[in-house]
Structures are given as C-alpha cells and as structure tokens.
Amino acid sequence: MQDWQWLKTQQEGQFFDRKSCYDRSGRRPKRRPAREVARDVAESLSAMANADGGTLAVGIEDDGTPTGVDYPPDRLEVILRAPKRLVNPPLKADYRWVELDGVRVLVFEVDWSPEVHQLTDGRYLYRHNDQNLPFPARDIEALKRSRRQALTEGQFVSGASIDDLDLELIRDVGQKVGLSMSPEEVLLHYRLAEHQNGRLRLT
C-alpha cells in the first residue's frame, strides 16, 4: 500500500502542486466554488502536461495541512471533469482518493504529453518550478519536439525499477546541485526516468 504522507511535506515545485478547496481571505474559511477549483485543476495539469508531467493534490493547504474535498456529487463532477472539459485537446489525467489525517484529498497525476494543450479560455501554460506560466504555443511545441527526439534516441531499461536504486544517494545528489526534489523528481529532471502509462520507467 502506497504511503501518501509525502503529500503533506513535499515542497511545491516542477512536478508537484497543491490546491485548497477553501477561501481563507475572510474572517472565516469558506468553501470555494467548484468551478474555481476546476479551473485550478485544469491550469496546473495542462501546464504540467506541457512540461514534464506531475502530481496535483487537491484538498491540501499550502502549509501541507489536509482540509479535504467536500462537495456534493454534481459539484465534484465539475472538478473531476476539468482535465477533459477545460483543456484542448482533452487531457488524460488519472485521479485517486487518498485519506490523510481523517479527510479525503483528491490526487491527480498527469504524464508529459507529446501534444500542446490549451485552456478553453485561450491560454497556454507551462510548468516552471512551482509556477504555471503563460507560454507561447510555438515555444512549447519547440520544447516538445526536442523532447520527442530525445525519447526516440533514448531507451527504457527493461526489467529495472526505481526499487533497484539507492534513493537516498539520488536525493543527496539533487541537494548538492540545489534541487529540492524527491528522488523520483531528480531522475525525471535529468531524463533518467520517464512517466509512461502512469508509472515511472528508468531510461
């Protein structure tokens, strides 16, 4: 069984983002409209798909506190359908429910996509560090073209998995070069692994 506690402690960055379902700008927190959360989901996932892929946890505050995703079924459907309804071409994003500290959070995972994805409001976004930045479509396509070429030239290592590696050593290497990332993210950063069909494969 996978341990999802890292969702609370992982720093937001190139491959990871958190979104809260609550507006805390007033005196009391209030639940955000589902359409706003859906827009956040579409923005982060399209930006990640246009870059290197990643994970989005919905229902966790910026400080890592799980506060949950609590909407009636019809409003929840608005959020779950966001990757397909608010992005062109529609995104293939997996999602799962994870229980943390007694509340349910929604975890989306999206792979790098060979296609350039556009939000239905006309924007193109690209994930850079912990931001979803507006980016010209032609520049995203150029980056994807070079990525496709690298994938064509590279090969997956048959039978090898991340369990075969010394993850602490990889983490140390990342920290020495200033990358505050998980071992998986370090491997992705250096193109030593790729997301394929929802799992990490070593190259």
Side-chain angles (χ1 to χ4, degrees), residues 13-178:
Q14 183 71 28
F15 304 98
F16 180 60
D17 199 8
R18 293 186 189 90
K19 294 296 177 187
S20 171
C21 294
Y22 288 89
D23 178 358
R24 299 183 179 279
S25 60
R27 295 179 63 182
R28 289 185 179 179
K30 62 179 181 179
R31 192 168 62 189
R32 299 170 61 205
R35 66 180 182 277
E36 286 186 8
V37 178
R39 187 177 63 237
D40 284 349
V41 168
E43 288 179 356
S44 286
L45 292 182
S46 66
M48 288 174 172
N50 280 338
D52 300 301
T55 300
L56 169 65
V58 180
I60 303 182
E61 304 302 309
D62 285 340
D63 66 1
T65 303
T67 48
V69 180
D70 182 22
Y71 292 92
D74 61 325
R75 297 290 84 200
L76 183 59
E77 193 65 21
V78 170
I79 297 170
L80 295 177
R81 292 178 55 208
K84 294 187 182 299
R85 194 174 60 83
L86 300 179
V87 183
N88 289 316
L91 277 175
K92 296 175 183 175
D94 296 324
Y95 73 86
R96 70 184 72 206
W97 290 100
V98 174
E99 185 167 320
L100 291 174
D101 299 351
V103 299
R104 290 201 318 161
V105 300
L106 186 57
V107 181
F108 288 93
E109 293 178 294
V110 68
D111 287 341
W112 167 83
S113 171
E115 300 177 290
V116 178
H117 294 274
Q118 180 183 27
L119 294 170
T120 50
D121 64 11
R123 291 177 298 151
Y124 293 90
L125 299 180
Y126 188 83
R127 185 77 177 175
H128 179 67
N129 294 331
D130 62 350
Q131 294 183 297
N132 303 320
L133 300 177
F135 224 73
R138 65 180 180 276
D139 292 350
I140 296 175
E141 175 55 39
L143 290 166
K144 288 182 179 291
R145 192 162 48 245
S146 64
R147 176 77 176 270
R148 286 193 294 266
Q149 182 179 348
L151 286 174
T152 301
E153 295 169 354
Q155 293 182 341
F156 289 116
V157 182
S158 179
S161 77
I162 195 166
D163 294 330
D164 299 318
L165 304 178
D166 184 337
L167 299 186
E168 284 306 312
L169 180 61
I170 296 170
R171 191 192 306 274
D172 289 345
V173 169
Q175 289 176 348
K176 284 181 180 177
V177 296

